[in-house]
Amino acid sequence: MLQSKSFVRKTKQGKVVKVVREHYLRDDIYCGASICQVCDSTGARLSPDASTILILDTNVVLNQIDLLENPAINEVVILSVVLEEVKNKNLSVYNRLRGLCGNALRKFFVFSNEYHKDTYIKAMVGESPNDRNDRAIRVAAQWYQKHLGSATRVLLITNDRENKRKATEEGIIAETVESYVKSLGQPDLLDLLVQPAAGDVSMEDAEDMRPSKKKVIYSEHKPMSEITSGLHRGIYHQGKLRVNRYNPFEAYVGSESIGDEIIIYGRSNMNRVFDGDIVAVELLPRDQWHEEKSLSIVDDDEDEDDNVHLAPSSADDAPRTTNIVQASSADSTSAPSRPTGRVVGIIKRNWHSYCGSLEPMPMPAGNGGIAHALFVSKDRRVPKIRIQTRQLGNLLDKRIIVAVDSWDCLSRYPSGHYVRTIGQIGDRDTESEVVLIENDIDSRPFSSQVLGCLPPIPWSVSTDDLANPNRQDLRHIRVFSVDPPGCRDIDDALHCTLLPSGNFEVGVHIADVTNFVHPGTPLDDEATQRGTSVYLVERRIDMLPKPLTEDICSLRADVERLAFSVIWEMTPEAEIISTRYTKSVIKSCAALSYVEAQARMDDSRFNDPLTTDLRNMNTLAKIMRQRRIEKGALTLASAEVKFQIDTETHDPLDIGMYQIREANQMVEEFMLAANISVAEKILKQFPVCSLLRRHPSPTREMLEPLLRTAAAVGLSLDVSSSKALADSLDHAVGDDPYFNKLIRILATRCMTQAVYFCSGDLSPPEYHHYGLAAPLYTHFTSPIRRYADVVVHRLLAAALGLCKLPTIFQDRPQLTNIADNLNYRHRNAQMASRASVELHTLIYFRNRPVDTEARIVKIRSNGFIVFVPKFGIEGPVYLTARSEKGSGEWTVDEQQQKVKKADGSVSYSVLQTVHVHLEVVEPQPNRPKLQLTLI
Amino acid sequence: MEQRLANTWRMSVNDKKFIESSLLSDLRVDGRRPFDYRKLSIKFGREDGSSEVQLGETHVMGFVTGQLVPPYRDRPNEGSLAIYTEFSPMADPSFEAGRPGENAVELGRIIDRGLRESRAIDTESLCILSGKLVWSIRVDLHILDNGGNLVDAANIAALAALLTFRRPECTLSGDDGQEVIVHSAEEREPLPLIVHHLPVAVTFAFFSNDNVVVIDPTHKEEAVMKGRLTATLNTNGDVCAIQKGGGIGVLQSVVLQCLRIASVKAADMTSKIKDAVESYNTVRAFRKVKRHSAPIAVSVDGSVAIKKQSQDGAQKIEL
Amino acid sequence: MEYVSPEGLRLDGRRPMEMRQIRAEVGAVSKADGSAVFEMGNTKVIAAVYGPREVQNRSQQLNDQALVRCEYTMSNFSTGDRMRRPKGDRRSTEISLVIRQTMEACILTHLMPRSQIDIFVQVLQADGGTRSACINAATLALADAGIPMSDLVTSCSAGYLNSTPLLDLNYVEDSAGGPDVTVGILPKLDKVTLLQMDAKLPIDTFENVMQLATEGCKAIANYIREVLQENTKQLESRRGT
């Protein structure tokens, strides 16, 4: 039978359209009761011995869904009219209801009353849709009673008084929810009952997208005028907001007016801010200020603390974990409470594009339908973003970039739109690109403008260059370079000549990049932006275009190239007698790798002039190194890891620790010397605007963990100065050969990062470089891959009077900006390299679970952190399963840095050797992680 | 709707009979086997987004251009893709200048369906400012020589042009991020389109005898054929579009068999297109770096003048 | 959006394999040589056939077969929105071409050389599946006009939503953006003459959907035969035998 439904609707454009739809009535819809003789009972869900069958009203379903989910409620018939209404009103309740109906164990049956020829009704004239639906429910209930006869009692549950009255009039048994539940005689069910006058829907419910139904979740931002006046009066405070990386619902606003950071807790107090926004904050009353407690970690699968990662090489790299051990120890003094506030307005938004992926969700029916998806960013500080897309199928398993458009106070998440796809999740190239994007690294190809600044290739030293009086012709000197194997961008070369006087002339020649990169050109601007070359495992993102880095500037063997040289005359005891700096033309005679150079020096059969030079240099280098160590230079163990990559598939073949040879140290020594010499020269000439590099000394707090660990194994370290520390480290010898290295690795974690700075910003004592124990330092020797070196080259050239200092150096704030940018880029490049290594580690271990030895470096209440020397990685090992945190089976001994089983049978102490099993697991689809388990 | 039959080239009856009977023995007039494609060559023009495809004697050129426009009202964050075909009378005497005939419309719609409905080109990434500015991509296909099987050739031309097209990069600026700056090709490298998959069209021709099916019919075979099926597939095993607009009836099994053959041919074609695009990209990157290609002239005073040949920009002469 | 509920019912109450209600009427346009009205659910199409008659444009005359022309139009009022340019746009041109080629395959054109057969199809109500309804209406009209055909041509559409093949999509289901397969067959010979598909489908699923559409076509063919038989009986009775 065919009916037709017609109704009038308003389209998005505002036009009014009449919609006519067909509606077919069927006679093959069954009642779902197994006892029924008439109907086909294959799809029946109601049990044969049911004495009462419930039919629910829409409001009952909406309000009492918790009650319905309780197993005590059974034998329920859900009418399709009720289902439709629930779907339109509240999507999450609808989903739960569908879950109930689909659950084979619960006796819920969906009866399509709208399509059954006996129970379909048309709206009467003047009847509102609600009334019509209620009448449909009553008609269906009546039909059920008639259909099943006296075998069962059909009960209509409704709280609506009108409905109940009409039902009773029509002969249907009706009850309210409360009376029915009471009749069941289970008092605990009464607790699940929700009072009908319940207030707003709690935030856990999914939002209804229709504007009339949205609830206001966030308070409105105050208008700008009010904010400015508030700032004047001092009731509001302005500052930049930083979200806590480990807890996205906690943020800090650095405020100058208060002098301390204001903490913002909780989603509603944060009021739609993003990390990096400039906000106006109102302080909460004092009694609501939170105590200083350790940063809480939101228990999530992506817990950064619990990921296996590379051993950190400085305190900045180590995750800022709460030492749960610390918290559990008696901390009697309660820390003073920190000012807490809430955000009232946003002065400047810091929105940009974010990369991540979509939350898995079922596909919409047709591929072209609009789907509303939630985008989860890789950066945990960013909230989830809602986007609309018509190509959900194309995007679900890909890494995508999304930009934010708006966030109004009615919606829980900001709205944004899809920008572009990066690639498949898990695909190595895609993940590498994600690493680059996350760290703000520009990997786009160089534009035509930039390439236009290069001289045409093939390039060679021209007669003009040779004729330049400022450029010394050093092509006759035996210059050579020593670099990692396969290195194409050679930026440094050395020579060592024995002078007739018995002294040595040692020279360090650096590629003359500033000859080609002039200030103010697009090439220079691009390089300033990029700041440094980035080294990923499988590729390198260059700061300068390839023709420059690998050909024109690179000091390759057997070709003449331009260079900037630092030449010393030194005694055989490596005392520097004189230093001179000059631009030069050189011709390298050999480009050796570290292995080759070492082999030549070691093999006594080689006695050619080149090898003699190498050996002389090595001797000098050793003396210089010893001198530095005496002054207090630290030799910390690097846990650097190297990958052997398959040339075809670019998959990692082998992973191992980086080998340091004498040849490495030799080159390093002279580079350091060159850097120091240049630093002295430019500082003398330009005391206020030189670009230098410093390494702040670590504070006592930063060295705490090291001292504690050392004390636990009975070692006392003197950390009063770098020399003292270096000496203590040298004397830290334990019974096993790896002990010393391990202590050095632990020491590395406590160090600060070295940074660039403008000499005018700080006072001379602060120029100190802790790690090298040098009063002055800068970067000069790698202009091909670091922009700081380019700047220093320009400074040196000006100091020598070869050219004028560019005007930018007179602008102090600009210089500070440049230094800050360089630090930022350097930091990002390091993080990207580490992330790339971690990515490849994951790929390497993907199908290669392995058992190996590990050393405990930190104790926690539910396990410990180990360091695996063979691969240079560290990660957590759990003694209790993650869910049962602190079950009490294991106790921690702070003093001895041990974790003991409750019955005292087994204990693990720091620096102990254990055996672990490494395997890649995928607890969530597409999010693999490396897991360490104790064997 | 009406064909100008006066201008159509009529085939002689002998020719028709010959083609039909030789097909019965699996022989085609140009020596191919029934399921072989003609020789395909894909060339690219100097500009990004222009391609030239020759499939046997059929010659088609494709051009892709982009423009910033306001979006459709019901698709505020999507760009658009439109296909236009030009059947130039130079290609075939029966083509009329001006208004596209039925065949032109059908061809346009087949390619359009293959690209747009299957979401091969990511139109959502063409949105710059939601609701205000989006990129509208226009693909123009010019038929230069009709040697039969225009659909396949035009489809390949469209795909090749779309793969090599680059659109300028835009950044948002201004206080509220509402201003759009379009960067020229010099300043920032232009971006390629995001293509999720390549739908390749494969055309089958049916003749009066049930068992005779051939791929890639030539002009003569088209005059003899009784029905045609164009299947657009991609390498993921999806059918993107099918067009069999009437003509002689075929069994269902034949249709399915054709689809299977088509998927093999599509894979082949996709790899050819990808290779051609790869080599074009390498050449393009190579061209960007300045090289000494002009002869070195020595000026009167003995110093060397080198004229540098630069790309789309200023000429520099260094002494 | 759910197009097929977990109970197996579609938005309008049909099951996935069920077609909408069909209704056909022969002889609606008195002036034409043959005409028919065909309804599939809310889609209503009227077809009129003129011919075989003399060719209007001498230059187009074919010496060995009849010239078939077809024109497809949608009325202004056929969809919910009043349309401004229903005639001459690309879609209409393509559908006209498709219908013409489909009918040409089944009309025995060589029996009527140097003549012209015009088929005019107009959509009165559009609710999805207009192409199929047009072809079915044209078949009926041709039969009514007495034009010799090798077989009837019937057509039906099918789609694939919520992982279920659905027969005979209406407008709402069609605009969901899922695949839409239109199949036209010659029922007696069991051969496929029209096959169109858009949007993506894996090959195996496509097979199922095409199968379903073919089944639908056969059911329509049965109905059309009945209608024609009924019509013939009426003509007979009017003649007085």
Side-chain angles (χ1 to χ4, degrees), chain A residues 491-547:
Chain A
D491 43 16
D492 54 79
L494 308 152
H495 85 263
C496 175
T497 322
L498 180 58
L499 296 171
S501 58
N503 288 342
F504 286 101
E505 183 189 75
V506 180
V508 169
H509 312 277
I510 308 295
D512 191 5
V513 171
T514 44
N515 189 1
F516 304 97
V517 180
H518 301 291
T521 54
L523 180 60
D524 186 56
D525 292 335
E526 184 74 26
T528 318
Q529 267 307 99
R530 295 192 179 207
T532 172
S533 290
V534 181
Y535 288 84
L536 300 177
V537 173
E538 79 278 11
R539 66 192 261 226
R540 182 183 76 212
I541 317 288
D542 288 317
M543 176 181 86
L544 298 169
K546 253 206 195 7

Side-chain angles (χ1 to χ4, degrees), chain B residues 166-181:
Chain B
R166 304 262 185 274
R167 62 170 176 91
E169 193 179 327
C170 303
T171 43
L172 297 176
S173 72
D175 292 327
D176 49 355
Q178 297 295 306
E179 264 176 50
V180 177
I181 307 179

Side-chain angles (χ1 to χ4, degrees), chain C residues 28-239:
Chain C
V29 178
S30 53
K31 205 76 185 335
D33 293 328
S35 59
V37 172
F38 198 86
E39 281 183 46
M40 283 171 86
N42 274 347
T43 302
K44 188 164 170 181
V45 162
I46 186 167
V49 167
Y50 286 84
R53 56 180 178 179
E54 198 178 321
V55 179
Q56 283 173 341
N57 197 343
R58 264 309 170 83
S59 58
Q60 291 176 355
Q61 190 176 13
L62 290 171
N63 285 330
D64 54 345
Q65 50 180 329
L67 179 71
V68 179
R69 283 191 337 162
C70 174
E71 193 176 319
Y72 163 93
T73 45
M74 289 180 84
S75 340
N76 279 358
F77 45 84
S78 55
T79 56
D81 268 344
R82 190 190 151 87
M83 282 194 297
R84 261 173 296 130
R85 214 186 135 213
K87 210 176 156 173
D89 66 331
R90 287 153 64 102
R91 183 171 167 274
S92 303
T93 320
E94 196 212 347
I95 300 186
S96 306
L97 172 71
V98 162
I99 297 179
R100 175 170 66 84
Q101 285 179 332
T102 313
M103 303 328 292
E104 247 181 344
C106 68
I107 299 178
L108 300 170
T109 46
H110 58 273
L111 291 180
M112 300 161 287
R114 287 185 282 270
S115 64
Q116 173 176 306
I117 300 176
D118 289 324
I119 309 175
F120 297 99
V121 185
Q122 177 128 7
V123 177
L124 300 173
Q125 273 173 220
D127 188 22
T130 51
R131 214 172 298 215
S132 309
C134 289
I135 291 180
N136 294 330
T139 304
L140 267 176
L142 283 169
D144 186 36
I147 293 178
M149 294 196 283
S150 58
D151 195 356
L152 300 171
V153 183
T154 53
S155 153
C156 188
S157 68
Y160 188 75
L161 290 171
N162 284 138
S163 320
T164 341
L166 301 176
L167 181 59
D168 196 11
L169 304 172
N170 59 23
Y171 181 69
V172 180
E173 290 165 343
D174 201 4
S175 19
D180 180 16
V181 177
T182 308
V183 173
I185 63 169
L186 302 163
K188 269 259 176 55
L189 306 170
D190 201 14
K191 289 210 177 151
V192 173
T193 162
L194 168 71
L195 178 57
Q196 281 187 317
M197 194 202 95
D198 58 9
K200 263 196 304 189
L201 259 194
I203 294 190
D204 324 310
T205 328
F206 171 73
E207 217 178 301
N208 289 344
V209 176
M210 191 168 83
Q211 187 64 34
L212 185 61
T214 318
E215 295 295 322
C217 295
K218 292 197 180 125
I220 297 183
N222 285 339
Y223 177 72
I224 288 185
R225 266 194 213 108
E226 271 174 30
V227 169
L228 286 174
Q229 278 177 340
E230 187 57 44
N231 188 37
T232 318
K233 279 200 194 111
Q234 275 195 355
L235 288 175
E236 264 187 324
S237 70
R238 271 193 233 146
R239 245 182 32 166

Side-chain angles (χ1 to χ4, degrees), chain A residues 513-712:
Chain A
V513 171
T514 44
N515 189 1
F516 304 97
V517 180
H518 301 291
T521 54
L523 180 60
D524 186 56
D525 292 335
E526 184 74 26
T528 318
Q529 267 307 99
R530 295 192 179 207
T532 172
S533 290
V534 181
Y535 288 84
L536 300 177
V537 173
E538 79 278 11
R539 66 192 261 226
R540 182 183 76 212
I541 317 288
D542 288 317
M543 176 181 86
L544 298 169
K546 253 206 195 7
L548 211 57
T549 61
E550 290 188 356
D551 184 11
I552 301 178
C553 291
S554 174
L555 305 176
R556 293 185 353 235
D558 301 320
V559 283
E560 298 174 353
R561 286 286 180 258
L562 303 178
F564 207 154
S565 310
V566 178
I567 303 176
W568 302 285
E569 191 183 324
M570 49 173 76
T571 67
E573 286 76 42
E575 302 275 351
I576 297 182
I577 300 176
S578 70
T579 318
R580 67 188 174 90
Y581 312 87
T582 177
K583 291 230 178 181
S584 57
V585 182
I586 62 163
K587 186 167 175 188
S588 170
C589 66
L592 305 168
S593 72
Y594 288 121
V595 178
E596 277 175 336
Q598 189 68 43
R600 276 176 177 243
M601 290 195 285
D602 293 339
D603 193 341
S604 51
R605 287 172 300 168
F606 278 96
N607 279 313
D608 55 294
L610 181 60
T611 317
T612 321
D613 285 346
L614 281 169
R615 292 196 186 118
N616 287 339
M617 285 205 91
N618 201 12
T619 321
L620 288 171
K622 284 203 244 197
I623 301 176
M624 289 162 76
R625 188 181 167 77
Q626 192 52 37
R627 210 177 305 141
R628 276 197 314 120
I629 292 179
E630 273 160 27
K631 271 205 274 187
L634 284 177
T635 41
L636 298 171
S638 148
E640 220 181 293
V641 143
K642 225 170 87 89
F643 276 99
Q644 204 189 348
I645 306 280
D646 180 330
T647 39
E648 275 179 17
T649 60
H650 291 285
D651 275 340
L653 281 180
D654 194 11
I655 164 176
M657 293 282 284
Y658 198 68
Q659 288 277 50
I660 309 261
R661 297 183 180 79
E662 259 187 5
N664 298 59
Q665 289 180 334
M666 171 184 84
V667 175
E668 189 194 18
E669 206 53 53
F670 282 105
M671 293 303 131
L672 291 180
N675 284 335
I676 294 178
S677 296
V678 170
E680 285 167 0
K681 180 81 181 171
I682 60 173
L683 189 63
K684 200 155 75 165
Q685 198 73 15
F686 303 109
V688 170
C689 59
S690 295
L691 185 71
L692 301 174
R693 191 163 171 84
R694 64 190 273 258
H695 186 202
S697 321
T699 59
R700 185 92 195 168
E701 284 87 51
M702 291 160 85
L703 292 167
E704 264 307 314
L706 173 65
L707 291 174
R708 208 164 344 107
T709 310

Side-chain angles (χ1 to χ4, degrees), chain A residues 36-325:
Chain A
C36 179
Q37 276 87 357
V38 176
C39 301
D40 176 1
S41 49
T42 40
R45 297 286 288 277
L46 306 172
S47 47
D49 53 350
S51 58
T52 315
I53 293 188
L54 303 172
I55 297 188
L56 304 174
D57 180 341
T58 317
N59 287 330
V60 168
V61 174
L62 279 174
N63 295 337
Q64 318 287 358
I65 184 69
D66 294 316
L67 175 65
L68 293 177
E69 283 183 334
N70 187 298
I73 307 283
N74 258 328
E75 315 300 344
V76 178
V77 168
I78 305 281
L79 301 172
S80 59
V81 62
V82 171
L83 260 179
E84 278 300 310
E85 281 194 305
V86 169
K87 184 155 96 154
N88 287 339
K89 290 220 169 96
N90 189 327
L91 209 48
S92 85
V93 171
Y94 173 73
N95 287 333
R96 285 163 79 180
L97 189 58
R98 268 285 174 211
L100 276 178
C101 301
N103 188 347
L105 299 168
R106 305 291 305 272
K107 309 265 189 282
F108 276 67
F109 180 70
V110 177
F111 179 69
S112 314
N113 72 310
E114 294 279 281
Y115 299 112
H116 195 283
K117 66 182 194 311
D118 292 331
T119 55
Y120 173 74
I121 52 164
K122 268 185 117 87
M124 298 191 296
V125 177
E127 200 179 22
S128 79
N130 263 339
D131 287 339
R132 184 245 162 222
N133 290 341
D134 286 341
R135 189 159 64 88
I137 297 177
R138 289 199 299 273
V139 166
Q142 245 183 348
W143 179 86
Y144 247 93
Q145 186 66 74
K146 226 176 353 169
H147 186 79
L148 292 177
S150 48
T152 41
R153 182 174 77 119
V154 172
L155 191 55
L156 173 64
I157 308 276
T158 172
N159 276 12
D160 184 5
R161 265 196 296 247
E162 259 306 298
N163 204 0
K164 193 148 166 292
R165 185 181 64 79
K166 289 203 188 129
T168 347
E169 272 175 23
E170 292 167 15
I172 309 170
I173 317 172
E175 272 190 30
T176 61
V177 175
E178 287 86 20
S179 64
Y180 176 70
V181 168
K182 284 200 188 105
S183 73
L184 284 179
Q186 292 185 26
D188 47 342
L189 282 186
L190 286 170
D191 298 329
L192 292 173
L193 272 183
V194 173
Q195 295 314 317
D200 355 347
V201 184
S202 65
M203 293 254 261
E204 271 65 58
D205 290 330
E207 275 161 66
D208 207 328
M209 289 306 291
R210 294 181 299 173
S212 55
K213 306 284 177 184
K214 285 190 193 173
K215 304 248 179 335
V216 175
I217 299 181
Y218 301 106
S219 49
E220 281 278 352
H221 287 153
K222 302 251 188 293
M224 265 318 279
S225 49
E226 223 184 289
I227 293 181
T228 17
S229 70
L231 286 172
H232 270 303
R233 280 156 51 202
I235 43 172
Y236 297 151
H237 307 276
Q238 175 173 325
K240 193 162 187 185
L241 187 134
R242 290 251 156 261
V243 176
N244 181 356
R245 195 190 285 249
Y246 304 96
N247 183 356
F249 299 123
E250 203 175 278
Y252 304 92
V253 179
S255 161
E256 287 175 10
S257 39
I258 298 214
D260 193 2
E261 276 189 339
I262 309 178
I263 311 184
I264 321 268
Y265 276 115
R267 197 201 280 267
S268 50
N269 281 340
M270 278 175 66
N271 203 354
R272 298 175 276 152
V273 293
F274 265 69
D275 177 70
D277 287 346
I278 312 263
V279 297
V281 180
E282 182 186 24
L283 286 178
L284 292 175
R286 241 182 202 252
D287 53 0
Q288 287 182 32
W289 285 17
H290 283 76
E291 289 188 349
E292 160 116 55
K293 54 183 185 201
S294 4
L295 307 176
S296 52
I297 302 181
V298 173
D299 192 8
D300 203 353
D301 317 297
E302 296 286 308
D303 228 346
E304 207 153 315
D305 179 32
D306 291 326
N307 260 346
V308 177
H309 50 253
L310 288 184
S313 54
S314 75
D316 290 350
D317 288 332
R320 237 187 309 247
T321 70
T322 98
N323 218 331
I324 303 180
V325 182

Side-chain angles (χ1 to χ4, degrees), chain A residues 13 388-391 394 405 418-421 444-449 451-452 454 456-458 547, chain B residues 73 75 77-78 119 122 124-125 130 169 185-189 194 196 288-292 308 316:
Chain A
Q13 279 89 314
Q388 269 189 0
T389 172
R390 281 174 69 228
Q391 46 173 358
N394 276 341
D405 291 328
Y418 157 79
V419 176
R420 70 178 175 97
T421 309
R444 285 186 298 223
F446 289 104
S447 68
S448 320
Q449 253 182 353
L451 291 173
L454 301 180
I457 58 171
Chain B
R73 249 182 309 183
R75 307 263 162 91
N77 55 347
E78 263 188 58
R119 312 219 131 250
D122 187 340
E124 287 189 351
S125 62
S130 182
E169 193 179 327
E186 303 279 305
E187 271 176 64
R188 299 262 187 110
E189 266 294 292
I194 299 188
H196 288 289
K288 292 217 147 245
V289 184
K290 292 195 290 191
R291 277 152 221 286
H292 290 294
K308 295 189 186 32
K316 259 164 64 168

Side-chain angles (χ1 to χ4, degrees), chain B residues 1-5 94 96 99 101-102, chain C residues 56-57 60 67 69 71 100:
Chain B
M1 195 180 58
E2 278 132 60
Q3 295 269 50
R4 280 276 219 95
L5 296 178
S94 63
E96 257 177 47
R99 230 167 146 250
E102 281 182 323
Chain C
Q56 283 173 341
N57 197 343
Q60 291 176 355
L67 179 71
R69 283 191 337 162
E71 193 176 319
R100 175 170 66 84

